[in-house]
Amino acid sequence: MPDQEILRQLQGKVALVTGASRGIGAAAAKRLAQSGASVVINYHQNRDAAQKVLDKIEDSGGRGMVFQADVTRQDQVASMIEAAREKFSAVDVLVNNAYFPFEVGQLHELSWESLHRAVEHELSAFYNCVQACLPQMAEKKSGKIIVVSTRLAQQPLPRMGAYAAAKSALESMANTMAIELGPLGINVNVVTPAFTLTDASMIMPEAFRERVRETRPLKKHLYPEDVAGAIAFLAGSEANMLTGSQILITGGSHLQL
Ligand SMILES: NC(=O)c1ccc[n+]([C@@H]2O[C@H](COP(=O)([O-])OP(=O)(O)OC[C@H]3O[C@@H](n4cnc5c(N)ncnc54)[C@H](OP(=O)(O)O)[C@@H]3O)[C@@H](O)[C@H]2O)c1
């Protein structure tokens, strides 16, 4: 494929990124727009931040729209998909990325409600987005679904159990869907970042962040753009034969205890 085609391989495609006002979602939205996609920038509370992502995309000659929706709400997700279809066309690439804060604490000390909420947020958001995108992806016999998980799902840390359990269940859903939706021409893959510098992770003290960087083989911080590159790869045609795959974005830390 000529270089220019690789760079613009999402030309004519529509990509929805959930939780795209900040962090990994914002970086993914900008990166997918660079590849030529029209991007739906979903946000929940930060309209100004989402608008800035759109401004940046449009300043670089790209196309997009912002849409406020709580992705844990089926009716709001359905309205967003409909708005995307009206403005552009059916969603070709779904990036399930939104981050839901959870209660930190040892699993046996958490209330059932707290654990249940973490799992419900992750699974309902993914379920709602897939339900809304699926009919049109199935009709076109093509679609790329990319799920943002976390390294903690496979490499647990104490007190992060609610998050790890929710993301493990999310990965399981993604893997099952890879089998179920493959015959419909839809690829489902997972990206698994380790600790990445975003608003969600900046609550950790600087000493912790430095320790994480220092213990990684690559000795560098992970930034949202590092994850966005893997998402763009999975969205593009070079990943057409990847489904049920998982890309670890860890700087090598998964190899260490
Ligand atoms: N940061 C890390 O270290 C790390 C590591 C591994 C995996 N991850 C995963 O990467 C993904 C993104 O995390 P991040 O660190 O980039 O998060 P972030 O910077 O805190 O951003 C969170 C995003 O999610 C949106 N959001 C929150 N609740 C929502 C809802 N109900 N409906 C729609 N959008 C909602 C926020 O929208 P508003 O701002 O508009 O409210 C925001 O755009 C998450 O799935 C997270 O689990 C992160």
Side-chain angles (χ1 to χ4, degrees):
M1 203 188 287
D3 286 357
Q4 268 319 97
E5 274 180 46
I6 290 176
L7 285 174
R8 305 289 296 169
Q9 60 178 300
L10 296 179
Q11 195 79 49
K13 304 277 185 196
V14 179
L16 163 65
V17 184
T18 68
S21 49
R22 293 183 285 128
I24 291 169
K30 290 180 220 162
R31 180 63 188 79
L32 292 168
Q34 266 177 11
S35 291
S38 300
V39 183
V40 184
I41 300 152
N42 161 245
Y43 70 99
H44 186 215
Q45 289 176 320
N46 286 298
R47 188 184 168 86
D48 288 354
Q51 186 59 45
K52 278 191 188 133
V53 175
L54 178 58
D55 291 346
K56 186 102 186 166
I57 286 172
E58 290 182 339
D59 287 351
S60 312
R63 298 206 315 160
M65 64 184 275
V66 298
F67 200 96
Q68 196 275 336
D70 175 349
V71 287
T72 66
R73 293 277 309 273
Q74 195 159 22
D75 54 338
Q76 296 185 19
V77 172
S79 304
M80 175 165 63
I81 302 302
E82 186 49 28
R85 201 189 55 77
E86 272 176 21
K87 186 164 171 75
F88 301 123
S89 61
V91 170
D92 300 284
V93 177
L94 164 63
V95 183
N96 184 81
N97 166 79
Y99 170 74
F100 308 100
F102 57 93
E103 190 177 339
V104 174
Q106 297 196 71
L107 274 175
H108 66 275
E109 290 171 349
L110 297 182
S111 67
W112 171 247
E113 288 70 29
S114 183
L115 181 55
H116 183 259
R117 202 176 313 117
V119 176
E120 187 175 27
H121 280 161
E122 288 291 345
L123 300 198
S124 66
F126 185 44
Y127 176 86
N128 293 338
C129 290
V130 171
Q131 285 283 326
C133 293
L134 192 57
Q136 290 163 334
M137 284 184 175
E139 200 179 309
K140 286 199 266 186
K141 291 206 176 316
S142 85
K144 296 274 171 70
I145 297 176
I146 299 151
V147 170
V148 182
S149 184
T150 169
R151 187 61 200 141
L152 293 181
Q154 309 296 333
Q155 196 174 31
L157 271 183
R159 298 170 54 77
M160 305 290 269
Y163 182 53
K167 289 290 199 183
S168 297
L170 180 68
E171 287 185 11
S172 231
M173 265 178 89
N175 290 339
T176 307
M177 280 187 192
I179 300 172
E180 293 173 346
L181 303 183
L184 304 180
I186 299 167
N187 306 50
V188 188
N189 290 296
V190 175
V191 294
T192 308
F195 187 77
T196 307
L197 295 188
T198 68
D199 291 348
S201 59
M202 288 305 260
I203 55 165
M204 301 304 280
E206 191 178 347
F208 176 88
R209 287 183 254 143
E210 276 308 306
R211 200 167 69 241
V212 170
R213 186 184 63 75
E214 197 43 49
T215 52
R216 274 188 188 132
L218 287 180
K219 307 280 181 210
K220 289 178 187 160
H221 285 305
L222 257 172
Y223 293 99
E225 291 71 22
D226 298 313
V227 184
I231 291 172
F233 164 69
L234 288 172
S237 53
E238 289 167 292
N240 279 352
M241 282 307 289
L242 270 72
T243 199
S245 294
Q246 193 166 121
I247 300 186
L248 303 181
I249 307 150
T250 67
S253 59
H254 64 281
L255 296 169
Q256 297 179 317
L257 284 179

